[in-house]
Amino acid sequence: MMSREDFVSRFGGVFEHSPFIAERAYDAGHVTEPLTAAGVHASLTAAFRAASPQERLGVLSAHPDLAGRLAVAGELTEDSRKEQSGAGLDRLSAAEHARFTELNSAYVEKFGFPFIIAVKGLGKDDILAAFETRIGNGKDEEFTTATAQVERIALLRLTSMLPEAE
């Protein structure tokens, strides 16, 4: 069985900058081998859902703005950099970048956390359309949507890290 330290080292970043999720999943005894994306995702998601609303807000807040200042400064986590690059967010025109910046600011002001979307398979126009739609949501609806997106991002990250069981 993988040690707690090794498990947290390997999976502590799956939920952005929130190793406590991996720690709690391991401590709850829900981690079983062989490790698969689906199995680890189930244990991490259970720990995430069991976290307090304030802790889940902290996980949401740990995510970077899309095409935001961290991306411009080259300070994203490797996973976030790959995800944003894959969606073309590192190749925005000046006008597109200005629109993302405007939406990021309005969104954070309204909801208190950055706009989060699993960008895999989406292009910048898809993301912008979702951004413009979701900014009209109420706070509870958007918190639910954002947490679901965080869980989807975690699954996509785990799928790239682990094979599925045969």
Side-chain angles (χ1 to χ4, degrees):
M1 180 70 179
M2 180 180 274
S3 73
R4 181 182 195 267
E5 182 180 334
D6 289 344
F7 184 83
V8 173
S9 175
R10 184 157 183 205
F11 303 111
V14 170
F15 280 77
E16 194 91 3
H17 297 296
S18 302
F20 79 92
I21 300 290
E23 292 166 353
R24 291 180 186 174
Y26 191 92
D27 293 346
H30 297 303
V31 178
T32 57
E33 294 191 4
L35 297 178
T36 64
V40 173
H41 185 257
S43 64
L44 293 176
T45 299
F48 177 61
R49 290 177 182 176
S52 72
Q54 198 60 37
E55 287 171 323
R56 284 181 288 150
L57 176 61
V59 173
L60 298 181
S61 297
H63 281 260
D65 289 341
L66 292 178
R69 63 177 177 72
L70 292 179
V72 171
E75 295 176 7
L76 295 175
T77 64
E78 184 63 16
D79 284 328
S80 288
R81 186 196 62 73
K82 286 180 184 173
E83 291 156 3
Q84 291 199 26
S85 175
L89 297 181
D90 59 343
R91 299 178 298 282
L92 298 176
S93 70
E96 290 167 333
H97 191 268
R99 182 68 180 136
F100 269 94
T101 300
E102 176 187 331
L103 284 167
N104 278 327
S105 295
Y107 186 97
V108 170
E109 185 174 318
K110 180 173 182 178
F111 298 112
F113 54 87
F115 177 77
I116 300 167
I117 188 168
V119 299
K120 186 175 178 94
L122 301 178
K124 60 187 177 185
D125 293 335
D126 303 313
I127 295 164
L128 202 53
F131 214 147
E132 291 174 340
T133 298
R134 285 175 48 195
I135 202 161
N137 286 347
K139 283 191 174 199
D140 291 344
E141 179 185 9
E142 192 54 26
F143 186 83
T144 300
T145 301
T147 56
Q149 288 295 312
V150 164
E151 291 176 10
R152 177 159 168 65
I153 291 165
L155 180 59
L156 292 167
R157 289 177 176 178
L158 287 164
T159 299
S160 72
M161 296 169 74
L162 289 169
E164 281 304 317
E166 297 300 320

